[in-house]
Amino acid sequence: MTFDASQTAWDEKTQQFHGGQDWATLSNFVEDFSVTTNGLGTPRTALEAGRKAVDLCDHYPPANQEPAKSSLAAFLWPDSYQRNVNRLLLGNGASELIDLVVRKAPAGPWKPGPFSVQYKEYERSASTNGRPLLKVNDDSPAAIACIVNPCNPTGDYKPLNQLKKWVEANVQDGGFAVIDESMQPWHSPGFREDSMTSQTEFVADLYARRGISVYVIHSWTKLWSCTGIRLGSIVCPTEEHCQALKKIQVPWSVNCVALAFLHAVVKDEAYLHDTWTLTPRWRHHTVAALQEYFPNWLTSGEPFLSWVWIDTGDMIVAERAIQLAKQAGVPVRSGLPGYQQPSHLRIAVRSPEKFQILLNAWLPLRN
């Protein structure tokens, strides 16, 4: 049996478009700029742990997700993980957990974050579960409001004090607030202090006062560049909320490779140090070069992020940029499918040497 690599990887009638597929169709593939994974590549110690776990594939993975879950809890709450571990649940990527929490939320409308566009999986899940969809500029509070912070793809970021105010204003009493912090650990070595995971008192008080349940979701496959194994987590407001999600979760949804990888990777402090050091440096180099060669293009996003959101100002220019990138073996993410932003592109932050390949491919676009 043969497979036509040129056909789409998506069933466009039933699935939400997602990037990261073009590389498999390119005979000259060099580097994937279409995904927001860590430019350092996959951590070697964790990769080796995952490889060794394949030898155990004739056994079920642990149903309690241990010891990987406790290891992640210690990563999130170094000084208080034992008090919080039972509020944590792992999933087969963030997508599984998004669907669980949207299904569990009280009946009523769904609302996105305040940014022009955000990761579409939340909207997809709300739509397939029959919820009314509020617009981004609708001031009405919702039964479930989902904000991606930092926002993928726009790069907008609400610091913790602003984020808390947004939750208070946009969620109905008794509703759910879902905060996607998948890209937030890139913030700095002090990322925990600006994360909603640190706000246990705020979360408890909001639930006591107004019955609002705050959930924090992470997709760990971007930070640790392991999108192929699928690995996510959700922090629930209480242990009881976590049990309610676990009750509707498919058993053994996180396989033995992902669990072994996670257990090892949270201990790799050198990798994170390099991430916090090199990512902003490489991103600054990327943005500076884009501004020099394409002064009419607008770049956006926080300096610590692993990607750059680019508005070329012209749909035809964006389409040409996508074609040239593919021809050079360095695919980028179009803003059209999924996000409906036809003049926009998203490119991953990569080393200056790899970015130079993309920049060279785009030189014919200069005015």
Side-chain angles (χ1 to χ4, degrees):
M1 184 177 71
T2 60
F3 171 72
D4 181 4
S6 65
Q7 67 182 342
T8 179
W10 297 97
D11 179 349
E12 296 179 357
K13 295 180 180 179
T14 61
Q15 292 180 309
Q16 172 63 49
F17 177 84
H18 198 291
Q21 304 294 314
D22 290 337
W23 72 273
T25 68
L26 302 179
S27 60
N28 63 336
F29 175 70
V30 177
E31 179 68 35
D32 195 352
F33 281 80
S34 74
V35 292
T36 56
T37 50
N38 197 318
L40 294 174
T42 311
R44 293 301 166 188
T45 55
L47 189 59
E48 184 59 29
R51 286 183 175 131
K52 289 181 178 179
V54 175
D55 291 338
L56 303 176
C57 68
D58 57 334
H59 300 284
Y60 282 104
N64 65 358
Q65 304 176 337
E66 294 292 0
K69 187 172 77 169
S70 288
S71 296
L72 179 60
F75 174 78
L76 291 172
W77 303 284
D79 299 323
S80 59
Y81 77 92
Q82 291 175 324
R83 297 199 302 269
N84 292 299
V85 65
N86 290 330
R87 297 195 294 124
L88 182 65
L89 185 67
L90 306 182
N92 186 257
S95 296
E96 180 197 15
L97 301 168
I98 290 168
D99 200 60
L100 286 178
V101 73
V102 171
R103 285 162 51 198
K104 198 63 180 176
W110 169 89
K111 185 176 186 177
F115 313 122
S116 59
V117 65
Q118 71 176 23
Y119 179 59
K120 301 291 283 186
E121 194 63 24
Y122 292 90
E123 181 178 337
R124 180 210 64 80
S125 184
S127 177
T128 57
N129 282 281
R131 293 183 179 274
L133 305 180
L134 300 182
K135 300 294 185 181
V136 65
N137 57 356
D138 193 324
D139 292 333
S140 306
I144 176 168
C146 302
I147 179 173
V148 180
N149 191 58
C151 181
N152 193 352
T154 67
D156 292 293
Y157 181 60
K158 282 190 173 296
L160 194 53
N161 61 334
Q162 296 180 23
L163 181 60
K164 290 157 75 170
K165 291 178 181 178
W166 185 88
V167 169
E168 291 257 25
N170 288 279
V171 183
Q172 299 172 1
D173 289 358
F176 279 20
V178 183
I179 300 161
D180 188 321
E181 291 192 350
S182 295
M183 315 309 289
Q184 199 273 341
W186 259 281
H187 181 279
S188 68
F191 76 92
R192 297 172 183 86
E193 286 71 35
D194 206 43
S195 165
M196 188 61 79
T197 59
S198 70
Q199 298 299 299
T200 53
E201 292 184 6
F202 168 79
V203 170
D205 176 69
L206 190 58
Y207 185 63
R209 285 190 293 110
R210 298 180 52 191
I212 293 176
S213 302
V214 178
Y215 296 83
V216 182
I217 284 181
H218 289 93
S219 169
W220 295 110
T221 60
K222 306 302 190 302
L223 180 65
W224 289 311
S225 194
C226 58
T227 52
I229 63 173
R230 315 307 305 134
L231 184 60
S233 68
I234 186 167
V235 178
C236 303
T238 68
E239 184 175 341
E240 290 72 26
H241 285 77
C242 194
Q243 292 291 331
L245 290 187
K246 188 186 299 184
K247 188 173 182 179
I248 62 172
Q249 184 181 36
V250 175
W252 305 296
S253 68
V254 187
N255 62 52
C256 61
V257 173
L259 291 173
F261 183 98
L262 178 60
H263 181 56
V265 80
V266 294
K267 302 176 179 69
D268 195 338
E269 296 180 2
Y271 181 88
L272 286 177
H273 176 270
D274 290 344
T275 296
W276 294 320
T277 301
L278 294 175
T279 303
R281 186 182 304 168
W282 291 351
R283 192 182 191 279
H284 176 78
H285 172 86
T286 298
V287 170
L290 291 172
Q291 292 174 343
E292 176 184 354
Y293 284 86
F294 309 103
N296 294 328
W297 292 11
L298 300 178
T299 59
S300 59
E302 292 292 315
F304 62 82
L305 293 175
S306 64
W307 75 92
V308 182
W309 183 235
I310 304 168
D311 184 1
T312 68
D314 189 310
M315 179 176 67
I316 296 176
V317 172
E319 290 176 350
R320 181 62 176 151
I322 293 164
Q323 293 170 359
L324 289 171
K326 283 186 178 181
Q327 290 170 11
V330 284
V332 301
R333 173 68 189 268
S334 168
L336 179 57
Y339 296 127
Q340 304 304 310
Q341 303 285 312
S343 68
H344 285 71
L345 307 168
R346 191 192 67 195
I347 65 171
V349 170
R350 296 293 183 255
S351 70
E353 295 76 18
K354 291 180 178 178
F355 171 68
Q356 190 64 46
I357 301 171
L358 176 60
L359 185 61
N360 290 343
W362 280 351
L363 290 181
L365 298 172
R366 295 184 71 182
N367 292 332

